[in-house]
Amino acid sequence: MKTIAPLPEDTEEAPPIKPLTAEEARELRERHPPVSPWWVVAGQAGVGLVAALVAWGLTGKQNVGWSVAYGALAVVIPAAVFARGLTGRFASLNAGTATVGFLLWEMVKIALSIAMLMAAPGLVEGLNWPALLVGLILAMKVYWVALAFAPKARVKNRLN
């Protein structure tokens, strides 16, 4: 019968988390400002417009351009509604309302996206589903690009 050696016990306690002072919190917010949801929505709209124009130019078919544009709109419009809901005055009353508000507006965003996709065949003449999906995917992937190109914090020169 084999015996297994016991694991070594950590005798050192991990240092407790030190809360930030008001000054440290202010400096942290200045170094890492939050990204506005409107910045992301604007990026999605811009990428959708460029993708639609490129698709139209490459294929020479107007319906392909409109399909890509509608696919992007199926992301942009729900994202704008979501951003508006999250930046409303009730969005940050307390942690509970913020959480419920986030979940509620996320469900509205998903429902609106699904409704727009279901309405696509009736709204876009000569709908091209692969082109619509390209526009949809490109607009969804803008979240990461918008974070990378978000306005940076202004560096202040301080004389100490």
Side-chain angles (χ1 to χ4, degrees):
M1 173 179 219
K2 290 185 179 181
T3 59
I4 299 174
L7 295 174
E9 293 183 22
D10 285 339
T11 56
E12 296 179 23
E13 293 275 333
I17 297 173
K18 178 184 159 263
L20 298 176
T21 64
E23 179 65 22
E24 291 170 332
R26 184 187 60 72
E27 288 177 9
L28 183 66
R29 281 190 301 271
E30 286 177 358
R31 281 186 303 205
H32 305 286
V35 177
S36 168
W38 297 108
W39 177 257
V40 177
V41 172
Q44 289 175 325
V47 166
L49 178 64
V50 169
L53 292 174
V54 167
W56 186 6
L58 287 177
T59 63
K61 297 179 181 178
Q62 191 176 15
N63 69 319
V64 172
W66 283 114
S67 296
V68 171
Y70 190 85
L73 278 177
V75 174
V76 172
I77 291 173
V81 170
F82 180 72
R84 176 64 184 103
L86 289 185
T87 57
R89 65 179 158 149
F90 295 115
S92 61
L93 289 177
N94 60 45
T97 58
T99 303
V100 170
F102 178 84
L103 294 174
L104 173 75
W105 287 109
E106 183 65 25
M107 288 188 295
V108 168
K109 183 174 96 169
I110 292 169
L112 187 54
S113 293
I114 291 170
M116 288 184 72
L117 291 174
M118 290 176 65
L123 295 174
V124 180
E125 191 174 322
L127 180 67
N128 184 314
W129 280 102
L132 181 139
L133 291 175
V134 166
L136 186 86
I137 291 168
L138 287 174
M140 281 193 296
K141 295 302 177 185
V142 169
Y143 283 107
W144 297 105
V145 176
L147 290 175
F149 291 105
K152 303 295 183 221
R154 293 186 182 124
V155 178
K156 295 179 183 178
N157 291 330
R158 289 195 248 177
L159 299 174
N160 291 336

